Amino acid sequence: WNQAYQFDTLPIKVESVDQLEPGDLIFVSGIYFDEKRKPKPHNMTHVEMYFPCGADLCETIGSRHKKGCVQVHRDFRFESQTYHSMQYHFRKIDTWLEGVCQSICS
């Protein structure tokens, strides 16, 4: 639920990863393979921080695959074993840096 709340409070979206700045967030929405799992708001399943440090500028920091440890990932795109129909949503954190943190969803 945390990632859905974060998503709700970041109104500035961009269309591609090359418009992000370090620290901006990449959200992943998807549909759980296990139909008994309760969907999260916006089907939001994951979030990582954009951390460009390599030649491709697609790196992120986050914890994946229930391993419980935060790592630098070479690419924000990955294959989940928990959910499918993944979509990536790019959000700027500018409003948070200005001290604004309120839901924009109705």
Side-chain angles (χ1 to χ4, degrees):
W1 298 91
N2 236 359
Q3 58 269 21
Y5 173 76
Q6 291 172 333
F7 183 76
D8 279 349
T9 62
L10 291 171
I12 304 172
K13 61 182 176 179
V14 295
E15 297 302 317
S16 67
V17 70
D18 57 335
Q19 295 174 292
L20 294 176
E21 296 177 69
D24 288 337
L25 300 179
I26 300 175
F27 293 88
V28 181
S29 63
I31 299 170
Y32 288 112
F33 289 117
D34 181 355
E35 295 176 1
K36 294 177 184 171
R37 284 191 74 168
K38 184 178 179 182
K40 296 179 181 175
H42 312 291
N43 288 323
M44 209 53 61
T45 55
H46 188 68
V47 62
E48 292 184 359
M49 182 185 299
Y50 181 59
F51 182 71
C53 60
D56 295 331
L57 300 178
C58 291
E59 296 83 6
T60 58
I61 297 175
S63 177
R64 294 183 185 169
H65 311 297
K66 299 183 181 180
K67 292 183 181 176
C69 63
V70 175
Q71 302 172 2
V72 174
H73 301 283
R74 297 180 105 174
D75 198 309
F76 67 90
R77 296 165 285 236
F78 65 97
E79 184 176 331
S80 172
Q81 298 173 7
T82 309
Y83 41 89
H84 62 87
S85 303
M86 294 169 58
Q87 294 182 333
Y88 298 94
H89 309 271
F90 308 108
R91 294 292 189 269
K92 305 211 41 84
I93 63 167
D94 296 16
T95 52
W96 286 358
L97 297 174
E98 294 167 359
V100 177
C101 184
Q102 61 188 27
S103 177
I104 58 167
C105 292
S106 50

